[in-house]
Amino acid sequence: MRPWNLLALAAVVFAGIAVTAASGQLPPRADRLGSQPAGGSASISIAAVSNFGYQPDTIGNLPLSANITVTFTDDDVLPHTFNISSREGFEIPNDYTAAQLNQLFTEYHALYAAEVNYEGEVSVGNFTSPSSPGWYEFICNQSGHFAEGMYGFIAFGEPVPSNLTRHGTGSEIPTTGSTVIAVLGGLIIVAVLAGIIIWRRRRGAHRPPPELLP
Ligand SMILES: [Cu+2]
């Protein structure tokens, strides 16, 4: 196979991978559960992980007015908390100070709060989910952890909106940015390779045909 045909093949394969990566990404695990009826019960498992993250950091489509059992595990060496703000639809500004976080949780008491203090500790508890659809932010209130990006989002009766800021290390959601970069990078490579192929073909067209072997 001629080198430029190999290049063309590589371009097609890469484009296929880029498109697959862009379109084939599954929504976060909890969102794949689909809508659930009001009432009843549900269980969620969440872990505090190293570098100030939650795994997962996005949990959606939990049932309304339901008994939610929470299993919160410390998969890190530091103590962490899991505090769900009851302020519906409010994305806490990333520059909130400890005082502002305290003020928020004083005005909007936590829907649920748990803490784990050492690696491997598991906290199990439960709370009743809200009666109407909405999303909420949860944070770790250990000093400095929110500022490091230790937060996530939980939604009842709906998926977590896709436009919220996330930078926890435990993210299950590929960011839109990385998808866009993958697609753009793939398209640029395809364009460059196509240019090379066209250039080589044009150059080849001006060459005399190769001599036939005897
Ligand atoms: Cu923490």
Side-chain angles (χ1 to χ4, degrees), residues 39-116:
S41 61
S43 297
I44 61 174
S45 292
I46 184 163
V49 297
S50 60
N51 295 320
F52 309 104
Y54 290 106
Q55 178 69 37
D57 67 4
T58 304
I59 304 165
N61 283 322
L62 289 167
L64 301 173
S65 304
N67 181 40
I68 311 290
T69 299
V70 179
T71 302
F72 179 46
T73 304
D74 198 343
D75 280 348
D76 187 32
V77 295
L78 299 174
H80 296 286
T81 77
F82 173 63
N83 295 16
I84 307 174
S85 161
S86 63
R87 185 167 176 184
E88 197 274 318
F90 179 63
E91 192 173 7
I92 303 170
N94 286 345
D95 60 357
Y96 253 32
T97 63
Q100 286 172 303
L101 290 174
N102 284 338
Q103 178 69 20
L104 175 69
F105 277 86
T106 301
E107 285 182 37
Y108 299 85
H109 66 90
L111 283 180
Y112 182 76
E115 67 176 80
V116 285

Side-chain angles (χ1 to χ4, degrees), residues 48-49 52-54 76 78-81 139-143 145-146 150:
V49 297
F52 309 104
Y54 290 106
D76 187 32
L78 299 174
H80 296 286
T81 77
I139 69 158
C140 177
N141 76 355
Q142 288 286 333
S143 179
H145 290 201
F146 173 76
M150 196 157 185

